[in-house]
Amino acid sequence: KAGVTQTPRYLIKTRGQQVTLSCSPISGHRSVSWYQQTPGQGLQFLFEYFSETQRNKGNFPGRFSGRQFSNSRSEMNVSTLELGDSALYLCASSPGHRGANEKLFFGSGTQLSVL
Amino acid sequence: AQRVTQPEKLLSVFKGAPVELKCNYSYSGSPELFWYVQYSRQRLQLLLRHISRESIKGFTADLNKGETSFHLKKPFAQEEDSAMYYCAPILGGTSYGKLTFGQGTILTVHP
């Protein structure tokens, strides 16, 4: 089985721009979660999607949004980029069984640099 | 507030020595406990899951509810164990993808 795929691998943007990151989960996985990783704050949960619905959300401003498509692929969007948004954005997938705390399978991440 | 603390940012041991990576959490209920690991140039992956005893590479971890700790142990460290280790408990109910990661410990095993 192919693993979690994230594109693009690297992105360079300037302040004020917006960006869209993509994540394709493992085949058959219906839950997709997004995390931000920075040297200062570590790994922080952004949100989780299941069956095209956001089920859980972290403490990030509304500039961070996401969506999930019927094939379980997910996109994350950040609008009005700030310098502090520079980070590695990780996507993780899991089967998404109701009521289960499943192990997550992570992608390689998208490294976003905001200049 | 729910918090996860890994007190050691860096840990160095020699090959064959025992290793213990510390993790403390603040939560009054029963957490579900995970350790994740990131080897150099590899993806973050599950190392150990407490509830199912699922584990790779010979690591174990015991939950100490009294001390609210979930320390990771291995009796004889190997050079290939060098990596970044994250304690990631689920603090309450169904996580829906949300893990609360500690800051991580970089383990270096010297030959």
Side-chain angles (χ1 to χ4, degrees), chain A residues 4 35 37 56 101 103-104, chain B residues 32 36 43 49 95 97 99:
Chain A
V4 177
Y35 285 81
Q37 186 175 26
N56 203 354
N101 289 325
K103 74 179 185 184
L104 302 183
Chain B
E32 190 162 350
Y36 279 79
R43 302 172 182 211
R49 182 177 183 179
S95 69
L99 294 171

Side-chain angles (χ1 to χ4, degrees), chain A residues 90-112:
Chain A
L90 292 174
C91 163
S93 76
S94 68
H97 296 128
R98 183 178 290 279
N101 289 325
E102 303 163 324
K103 74 179 185 184
L104 302 183
F105 293 82
F106 284 86
S108 298
T110 294
Q111 183 68 54
L112 172 65

Side-chain angles (χ1 to χ4, degrees), chain A residues 3-5 33 35 37 39-43 45 48 55-57 90 98-104 106-108, chain B residues 9 32 34 36 38 43-46 49 51 54 86 90 92-103:
Chain A
V4 177
T5 305
S33 306
Y35 285 81
Q37 186 175 26
Q41 299 297 317
L43 281 151
F45 173 76
E48 186 256 7
R55 283 196 305 190
N56 203 354
K57 190 176 186 307
L90 292 174
R98 183 178 290 279
N101 289 325
E102 303 163 324
K103 74 179 185 184
L104 302 183
F106 284 86
S108 298
Chain B
K9 194 175 171 95
E32 190 162 350
F34 298 81
Y36 279 79
Q38 189 163 28
R43 302 172 182 211
L44 192 60
Q45 61 182 296
L46 179 73
R49 182 177 183 179
I51 194 169
E54 182 179 355
Y86 293 97
I90 292 173
T94 304
S95 69
Y96 296 124
K98 180 179 180 179
L99 294 171
T100 306
F101 283 91
Q103 288 295 317

